[in-house]
């Protein structure tokens, strides 16, 4: 139900400063209409949302003929809800835009579904909605439809957000995880581990003094520049979120039936992130990122693509970090700074939960 | 992240019979890949999901040119998860298809985001995934992409599901909540209150002996028959879910700037549902439905449309229940069986929570 634009009720406004979300705010009646009118509608305002139907209807964009539509979804359960560099609202927008953009698609529209715990402060909800709206406006990708549910106290953890997104891949562009070929170059758009370490450092029981900020950002602008530079020589793109770079490279190796060799020294890691990881016993390769991408590209175009990435603010620190190789075992291997080598495996699951 | 098709891990299969969801199942590593490979992938299998990228890419359907795309989302927090006539998996598919269909659109694709509480039985998760897959197959609308998150024990309530959907409105069809005009007929596709009463009756503390089953169903087939019968004379359709028929009619009255007069005797309510409502002190007009729709149509086409609805299995009990009138107050009024009348207001919010 597109409940963002129900008729404005004739009661007094919500007490956003001291009020809390109640079960009636999710019951489909006047209280829900008021929550939406006072909090979500102003924060997310756009003409599609304003249609006020159970769904939003949008014209097909120019250039749709011959293209393909892409669809993606993500649930966000990050804890804490507010962290250095963002919050669950901006994170949900960035993460969903990035999943669309990794196909080479132009992101068009987002949806947002809120599951809220009874008693959650209205002021925090407003802050999250405002942050979501700002991230969507900055990216030029509107939240066109939404939903609100409320569950009893103790049956959720503040707020969960599930977003979905739709985009359009231009005709002729076909990126996919199974297209890596031996000889291809593996490029990384910047330093790894920032998001995961920022979340961990802001968790009560893991606090330490750092200036580490999440890299949460929408990458579709960088992607557009990359598509323009490399065209069909671009094999695939992935954003190394949960599971980090290690999981992403292993996924690609499996899907494409190849091996990947990366060089430890080539992978950008900020000194403060490296220090925090050492303190926590974490491997930066396994830590989540929310504003980075991995690209696999035909070797002959690697330099051109790298230059295009570095010319974009979100790709300033881009680097060529490895090569795709022939390997029936589909191993990801890393050449270490000391000249040795080791297998980079996926984590079995020891990563901290609720990183996104 | 389209994590439905990560590479199959080389470990032993999940112990679905006695096992439980662990935090590692949401961490982006091998455990998550195994959960997806053993539970979600077989239940939801389709070629788009099998692409295995961070998003699914689909060709534009024939007839897309000149049409509009619609997008919708819904969060599902229904309690209990399994109820007479369905479960959270089938409900999520039906509800999202219906929100798309109410625009007159042909539903094309769904996404599903699962937020799971640590300790949730794998057997129950498998049952929900299977039910979701069956509902999607029956409806011919595939779940093309998905996401899985796990939160700590006590931080959710079993499973929450957020679905989004995309559909295509054919050129020339434009239904909207603001198109009701005085003189139009208000049609209802069948009996009201079945879903809400089925949920309430299956809640531990409200148990009573009834044979009441949720009406949860995908209505896009009925909608297609209605569009074929009434064409552009169809003003709008809505599915009266949370808040029931009363909320839906009030929304339409507000959006269109009209009044609506309904006749109590014309509204189908099953005797057992009416009896349960009386016992619980509920008004059937406020109780949620998950397989019914309200249509507003030009009066001269009402009989034709009603006949078309009755010819469809999900519209057998369709009835003309009221008329749109000129009313600057935008009131919904009901003529009672005794010849009197009363205002049908929205609930302020006293509805039972977590009905969907």
């Amino acid at each position: 139900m597109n409940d963002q634009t129900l008729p404005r009720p004739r009661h007094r406004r919500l007490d956003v400063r001291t009020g809390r979300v109640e079960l009636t705010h999710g019951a489909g009646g006047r209280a829900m209409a008021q929550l939406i009118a006072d909090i979500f509608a102003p924060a997310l305002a756009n003409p599609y949302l304003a249609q006020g139907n159970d769904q939003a209807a949008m014209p097909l964009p120019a250039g749709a003929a011959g293209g393909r539509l892409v669809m993606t979804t993500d649930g966000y359960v990050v804890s804490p809800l507010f962290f250095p560099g963002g919050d669950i609202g901006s994170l949900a927008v960035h993460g969903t835009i990035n999943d669309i953009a990794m196909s080479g698609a132009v992101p068009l529209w987002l949806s947002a579904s809120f599951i809220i715990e009874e008693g959650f402060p209205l002021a925090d909800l407003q802050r999250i909605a405002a942050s979501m709206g700002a991230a969507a406006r900055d990216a030029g990708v509107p939240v066109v439809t939404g939903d609100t549910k409320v569950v009893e106290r103790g049956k959720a953890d503040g707020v969960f957000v599930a977003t979905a997104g739709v985009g359009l891949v231009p005709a002729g562009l076909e990126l996919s995880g199974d297209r890596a070929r031996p000889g291809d170059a593996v490029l990384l758009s910047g330093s790894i581990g920032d998001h995961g370490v920022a979340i961990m450092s802001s968790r009560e029981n893991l606090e330490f003094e750092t200036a580490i900020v999440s890299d949460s950002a929408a990458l579709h602008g960088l992607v557009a520049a990359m598509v323009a530079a490399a065209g069909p020589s671009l094999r695939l793109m992935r954003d190394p979120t949960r599971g980090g770079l290690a999981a992403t490279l292993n996924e690609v190796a499996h899907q494409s039936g190849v091996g990947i060799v990366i060089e430890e020294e080539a992978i950008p890691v900020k000194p403060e992130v490296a220090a925090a990881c050492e303190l926590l016993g974490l491997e930066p390769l396994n830590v989540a990122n929310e504003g980075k991408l991995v690209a696999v590209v035909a070797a002959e175009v690697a330099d051109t693509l790298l230059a295009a990435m570095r010319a974009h603010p979100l790709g300033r620190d881009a680097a060529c970090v490895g090569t795709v190789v022939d390997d029936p075992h589909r191993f990801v291997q890393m050449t270490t700074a000391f000249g040795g080598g080791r297998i980079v495996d996926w984590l079995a699951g020891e990563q901290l939960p609720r990183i996104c």
Side-chain angles (χ1 to χ4, degrees), chain A:
Chain A
M1 158 166 181
N2 186 336
D3 42 26
Q4 257 42 357
T5 51
L6 295 181
R8 183 63 176 274
R10 289 152 296 183
H11 299 313
R12 59 184 167 77
R13 287 181 71 90
L14 282 179
D15 175 8
V16 174
R17 203 172 57 81
T18 64
R20 291 180 178 272
V21 174
E22 299 165 19
L23 284 173
T24 56
H25 286 127
R30 284 192 189 280
M32 191 172 88
Q34 188 174 36
L35 184 78
I36 290 161
D38 285 3
I39 291 193
F40 290 114
L44 302 174
N46 65 72
Y48 301 122
L49 192 64
Q51 291 169 359
N53 293 309
D54 286 346
Q55 69 297 116
M58 289 77 61
L60 276 171
R68 292 174 305 151
L69 283 170
V70 296
M71 185 175 187
T72 191
T73 189
D74 266 303
Y76 291 87
V77 298
V78 66
S79 174
L81 295 168
F82 302 94
F83 51 81
D87 60 51
I88 193 171
S90 55
L91 183 66
V93 167
H94 294 157
T96 301
I97 287 176
N98 292 349
D99 275 351
I100 297 171
M102 293 307 111
S103 68
V106 177
L108 297 172
W109 313 299
L110 303 175
S111 67
S113 176
F114 288 82
I115 296 174
I116 311 171
E117 184 186 8
E118 179 189 15
F120 189 70
L122 288 171
D124 286 353
L125 189 62
Q126 189 178 52
R127 198 174 147 202
I128 291 166
S131 162
M132 173 175 271
R137 273 191 302 280
D138 287 351
V141 187
V143 177
V144 298
T145 190
D147 186 61
T148 307
K149 294 289 190 309
V150 181
V151 298
E152 306 90 332
R153 207 179 286 264
K155 299 296 189 188
D157 192 17
V159 174
F160 301 139
V161 179
T163 38
V166 170
L168 182 73
V169 190
L173 192 64
E174 191 158 350
L175 308 185
S176 181
D178 58 6
R179 295 185 66 239
R181 294 290 170 267
D184 287 350
V186 179
L187 310 187
L188 176 63
S189 67
S191 65
I192 59 170
D194 302 24
H195 175 73
V197 170
I199 295 292
M200 291 174 207
S201 72
S202 65
R203 279 187 191 160
E204 230 178 338
N205 53 342
L206 289 172
E207 217 156 313
F208 38 66
E209 294 309 317
T210 65
I212 301 166
V213 171
S214 168
D215 60 344
S216 180
L219 295 171
H220 58 315
L222 174 61
V223 165
M226 292 169 66
V227 168
S233 300
L234 201 51
R235 312 288 200 210
L236 65 94
M237 288 183 284
R238 284 282 168 113
D239 53 338
T241 54
R242 266 184 302 178
L245 185 62
T248 295
L249 295 178
N250 272 285
E251 282 171 40
V252 169
H254 274 260
Q255 265 189 278
S256 291
V258 296
I260 295 176
V261 179
I262 54 174
E263 281 177 58
E264 185 169 31
E265 286 204 301
I267 299 169
V269 184
K270 290 178 179 157
E272 60 271 30
V273 171
C277 282
E278 203 159 310
L279 195 71
L280 292 161
L282 292 168
E283 165 62 70
L285 288 172
N286 299 126
V287 177
N289 312 277
E290 292 290 347
K292 298 294 160 18
L293 63 81
V294 173
V296 176
V297 65
E300 62 271 22
V301 186
D303 288 342
T304 306
L305 182 59
L306 197 58
M309 292 170 76
R310 287 177 173 162
H312 190 279
L314 293 175
R316 264 193 316 265
D317 302 322
C320 180
V321 297
T323 312
V324 177
V325 298
D326 193 12
D327 179 358
H329 300 295
R330 307 178 181 194
F331 284 148
V332 177
Q333 301 189 61
M334 184 162 74
T335 312
T336 65
F338 309 104
R342 67 171 177 90
I343 303 271
V344 177
D345 202 2
W346 310 31
L347 280 184
E350 59 263 43
Q351 184 62 273
L352 283 185
R354 302 182 60 185
I355 212 75
C356 61

